[in-house]
Amino acid sequence: MNDARTNSVRNLEYLYTTVVAVALSLSIYNLIDTTRGSVPFRLELLPIFFALLVTLIPFYHGALRHLDITYIEEGGKHVRKGALLIDFSALFIESCLFVVLAAFVPRPIYFAWGLVVLLAFDTMWGVTAYLGFSREGKLKPERTWALINFVAVIIISIYLVVLGFVPSAEIAYVSDLRLSVGILGFSLARTVVDYLLCWNTYYPPTNH
């Protein structure tokens, strides 16, 4: 791969990293409440904050690994013209969705449904990337990510609907333990499965 394209990919990754950093900073800001005396944190929001954190880490890690593998390590082979722009645009939208999720940390119900939207969008991206952006004949984690997130969308949506957690102005700020702990549990489980099934993508084996 030529240096010009490598630099282009790196510049896009820097932009992606910046937006993700904004999301993380905003979520921490929403967690802090200096009016609460000796413990200036909104402890009831900790499960939602950690749900965001355990989702953001593999998404960020996976997005950068995808870009590196597809356009740098594999030299951009077997990808359609303009794939990088389309690919990154989708990932950039995902990073912006993380900013939205961070803004919704004080509103657990909105956060939960925002998480569903993020996972659904990533499922669509995964299918698209699997079909058009990855080198043929090699491991394609995008397919696995799409499947994991598709299952997560179904499970989380059913959980929210069955328990009656639907977005509304009246209950937007409700911090129900079943909601916050449930979302944290689902998010953590999704991440564990993600890393277990795609370990070699996240941490490539050393070639001796």
Side-chain angles (χ1 to χ4, degrees):
M1 184 176 184
N2 59 58
D3 290 339
R5 179 171 291 184
T6 299
N7 291 335
S8 179
V9 173
R10 292 302 184 209
N11 290 336
L12 293 174
E13 290 179 343
Y14 296 152
L15 178 58
Y16 181 87
T17 298
T18 300
V19 179
V20 168
V22 170
L24 183 57
S25 300
L26 180 58
S27 65
I28 295 174
Y29 175 81
N30 283 328
L31 195 64
I32 298 174
D33 185 352
T34 56
T35 66
R36 296 201 174 192
S38 59
V39 183
F41 295 99
R42 303 177 66 178
L43 298 180
E44 72 277 8
L45 296 180
L46 279 177
I48 295 297
F49 170 76
F50 283 115
L52 173 66
L53 188 63
V54 299
T55 303
L56 185 150
I57 291 173
F59 267 65
Y60 175 77
H61 195 178
L64 267 58
R65 285 298 299 140
H66 166 77
L67 291 172
D68 284 347
I69 292 171
T70 305
Y71 302 102
I72 297 178
E73 296 171 16
E74 294 183 354
K77 299 177 181 178
H78 305 291
V79 293
R80 297 185 176 93
K81 184 178 181 180
L84 176 58
L85 176 60
I86 299 173
D87 205 2
F88 175 76
S89 296
L91 293 175
F92 183 73
I93 291 173
E94 284 192 0
S95 69
C96 293
L97 288 175
F98 271 110
V99 175
V100 174
L101 283 182
F104 282 161
V105 166
R107 302 185 177 191
I109 293 176
Y110 285 169
F111 176 92
W113 284 107
L115 179 62
V116 170
V117 171
L118 172 69
L119 295 175
F121 184 86
D122 192 75
T123 299
M124 293 185 290
W125 167 83
V127 172
T128 302
Y130 168 69
L131 294 176
F133 299 154
S134 297
R135 184 177 180 180
E136 296 179 1
K138 298 199 68 174
L139 176 65
K140 295 184 176 181
E142 299 84 3
R143 175 178 58 184
T144 304
W145 290 331
L147 179 59
I148 292 172
N149 291 330
F150 178 72
V151 173
V153 165
I154 294 176
I155 293 175
I156 295 174
S157 296
I158 292 176
Y159 179 78
L160 294 175
V161 171
V162 169
L163 293 183
F165 293 122
V166 294
S168 70
E170 292 77 13
I171 61 175
Y173 289 92
V174 171
S175 182
D176 190 301
L177 191 62
R178 295 173 301 166
L179 173 62
S180 56
V181 174
I183 291 301
L184 174 58
F186 290 132
S187 300
L188 184 59
R190 196 218 68 84
T191 293
V192 169
V193 172
D194 185 350
Y195 272 106
L196 286 176
L197 296 182
C198 301
W199 184 261
N200 287 338
T201 297
Y202 289 113
Y203 301 100
T206 303
N207 294 322
H208 297 286

